[in-house]
Amino acid sequence: MGNILQSYLDKGMLHIAEDEDKFKHLQRAAQEVAKKLAKKKTEIINHTLVALDPSISTDDSILVEVEGSLKKYWGTYRNRFPDSPRQLLRPIIFEALRMTGEADPVAAAVVWLTGGSYLPHADLGNEHELCERFLTKMGDIAEAQSADEWVVKQSGSSIQLPNLEFGNAIISAVGFNKDNLETKLFAASGPTDAAGTAIGTKANQYTPDIGQSWTNTFVPQASQAIALGVTAVSKAIAENVSQAIMQIKEDVSEHVSSVQRHRQRNRQ
């Protein structure tokens, strides 16, 4: 949006007439404040809030600091503005924020996110339109940077980024030991298998015709046999999936690094 000090002057809100020397004093003060903000970005938030508050106390530490910068270039300005330095100091802060934001998209984003939230609650009067245009400009800078982070272009054409390729991230079918389960179920069902061969001491000593005694032995043994089979399969599946996930993570990590290297080469 151009020089904010000039915008204030054009709208008759900076009462220094057309005094070019005085305007230069304000501009130099803004440049000094901008240098400080570039070195300490955390101060951008407070400076933005002060700039957007026409009723800020004249004793506010930020105004006092900005006034110190202005005095270096215009030592007698208090003779012209003895009571209300805000009308000079806030435009200086705005101009410093503009320069900082235009030089650094991150700073512009801080100004936009801070000021955009505060603007609806600010009583800016005839300054409102100017401040809104300033914040919109900061937002545009931040948005352009965000778009550039996601889209890589060269000579007006989109660059083909590396494809994401997975290596051995395959989840294989897990086998089930049917014979082992069958043996255990025969043991739970009675003392002999289908061929009439004695199973051993771990087999159910009762036959189904015995009734409750057979049932009381069959149920826990059969349940244990099934549980052991399910547990074995579940463990194998978990290990299989875990290995596949680790492979996918490695492949994605390598892909991200490849894209970053690709973009960096095309920015040089």
Side-chain angles (χ1 to χ4, degrees):
M1 63 178 289
N3 191 302
I4 296 184
L5 291 171
Q6 186 64 53
S7 297
Y8 268 92
L9 186 63
D10 293 342
K11 288 183 174 292
M13 294 185 288
L14 198 60
H15 305 301
I16 58 172
E18 295 297 328
D19 192 325
E20 186 176 348
D21 289 336
K22 301 296 187 294
F23 186 86
K24 289 180 179 179
H25 296 332
L26 302 184
Q27 187 65 37
R28 292 191 183 101
Q31 291 169 347
E32 182 170 306
V33 174
K35 290 179 181 179
K36 295 178 181 178
L37 293 177
K39 294 179 180 179
K40 194 174 183 180
K41 292 186 177 64
T42 54
E43 287 297 315
I44 292 175
I45 295 175
N46 292 331
H47 280 68
T48 301
L49 294 175
V50 169
L52 288 169
D53 186 1
S55 302
I56 189 73
S57 170
T58 55
D59 296 327
D60 183 87
S61 60
I62 290 178
L63 287 185
V64 171
E65 184 176 348
V66 174
E67 183 178 11
S69 296
L70 178 59
K71 284 181 178 179
K72 292 180 182 180
Y73 308 103
W74 187 2
T76 60
Y77 94 96
R78 276 285 193 169
N79 295 333
R80 181 83 172 269
F81 303 94
D83 300 322
S84 182
R86 285 187 299 251
Q87 66 188 94
L88 283 183
L89 302 180
R90 287 178 50 251
I92 289 174
I93 296 174
F94 270 126
E95 176 63 8
L97 291 170
R98 179 193 70 81
M99 289 187 286
T100 305
E102 290 186 353
D104 182 357
V106 173
V110 175
V111 174
W112 162 243
L113 294 173
T114 303
S117 300
Y118 183 76
L119 183 64
H121 309 287
D123 184 15
L124 290 163
N126 59 353
E127 295 180 61
H128 190 278
E129 181 183 356
L130 189 154
C131 294
E132 186 175 37
R133 286 195 295 116
F134 162 68
L135 290 174
T136 299
K137 175 63 176 178
M138 294 294 101
D140 290 342
I141 293 173
E143 180 65 22
Q145 176 66 14
S146 298
D148 184 59
E149 288 293 326
W150 288 96
V151 180
V152 181
K153 294 185 176 181
Q154 185 180 51
S155 303
S157 301
S158 295
I159 295 174
Q160 183 65 42
L161 294 175
N163 293 324
L164 173 58
E165 297 180 355
F166 292 108
N168 298 319
I170 300 174
I171 300 177
S172 304
V174 176
F176 181 78
N177 193 331
K178 175 179 174 297
D179 292 338
N180 186 52
L181 177 62
E182 184 177 285
T183 299
K184 291 183 180 298
L185 288 178
F186 265 121
S189 300
T192 60
D193 60 16
T197 303
I199 296 175
T201 57
K202 292 184 179 181
N204 188 343
Q205 60 181 315
Y206 304 104
T207 55
D209 58 305
I210 297 301
Q212 191 63 43
S213 295
W214 176 86
T215 301
N216 292 343
T217 304
F218 171 79
V219 171
Q221 285 193 227
S223 298
Q224 184 183 29
I226 295 171
L228 289 172
V230 171
T231 300
V233 171
S234 300
K235 183 178 180 181
I237 291 175
E239 292 176 351
N240 200 325
V241 171
S242 178
Q243 291 175 1
I245 290 174
M246 290 298 297
Q247 181 63 53
I248 291 172
K249 288 175 64 177
E250 291 177 4
D251 292 337
V252 171
S253 178
E254 175 58 30
H255 176 69
V256 171
S257 298
S258 178
V259 170
Q260 291 175 339
R261 291 193 298 270
H262 194 81
R263 292 179 57 197
Q264 187 63 35
R265 286 196 299 270
N266 286 282
R267 284 180 173 178
Q268 294 176 348

